Amino acid sequence: MGKLTTHVLDTMHGKPAAGVRCQLYRLDGEQRQLLADAATNRDGRCERPLLEGESLRAGVYELLFHAGDYFAAQGVKLPEPRFLDQVTLRFGISNADENYHVPLVVTPWSYSTYRGS
């Protein structure tokens, strides 16, 4: 059985992003179902997998990261409206037996992601 994890790295400050709120949704057509609502620890990781075992199913998911709130809490002067506020990553899980690691590498002005394992 696989699992889904995430990790947030603050490349503006060169450190893991602690305290970033992460929400996980499963998409079914136009409907979104909230599956997890967590915050990153001092390593920039959630304490537990967002999904694992039988709760991890093939399908389309969204991870919503509250990056703007994180950078504001770090004392970064942000414009209003914020250029990046909430970062949404929509991705698919095709094989629930595999591990999916979906990290976010972020600054107030850019982000990237990749599939880890």
Side-chain angles (χ1 to χ4, degrees):
M1 290 283 194
K3 64 183 176 183
L4 171 64
T5 56
T6 192
H7 189 194
V8 183
L9 297 169
D10 170 353
T11 54
M12 178 181 189
H13 297 105
K15 64 180 186 177
V20 177
R21 184 177 179 198
C22 307
Q23 295 173 294
L24 175 68
Y25 294 89
R26 180 176 169 81
L27 292 132
D28 186 11
E30 294 300 315
Q31 295 189 351
R32 290 179 3 155
Q33 177 187 8
L34 180 63
L35 301 178
D37 193 338
T40 57
N41 62 20
R42 65 187 187 127
D43 272 342
R45 301 174 187 275
C46 295
E47 291 292 330
R48 294 184 256 354
L50 297 170
L51 291 174
E52 64 183 326
E54 291 184 15
S55 65
L56 181 66
R57 299 181 296 153
V60 178
Y61 294 84
E62 282 184 355
L63 262 171
L64 176 65
F65 298 92
H66 295 260
D69 292 344
Y70 163 79
F71 283 109
Q74 297 299 302
V76 176
K77 185 174 178 172
L78 301 170
E80 282 298 328
R82 296 169 179 169
F83 180 70
L84 289 180
D85 190 23
Q86 296 180 352
V87 176
T88 302
L89 302 178
R90 183 177 288 190
F91 60 95
I93 291 178
S94 59
N95 185 343
D97 291 328
E98 295 179 357
N99 292 335
Y100 287 78
H101 182 66
V102 182
L104 178 69
V105 179
V106 65
T107 77
W109 307 279
S110 65
Y111 68 90
S112 65
T113 191
Y114 57 91
R115 180 188 169 189
S117 58

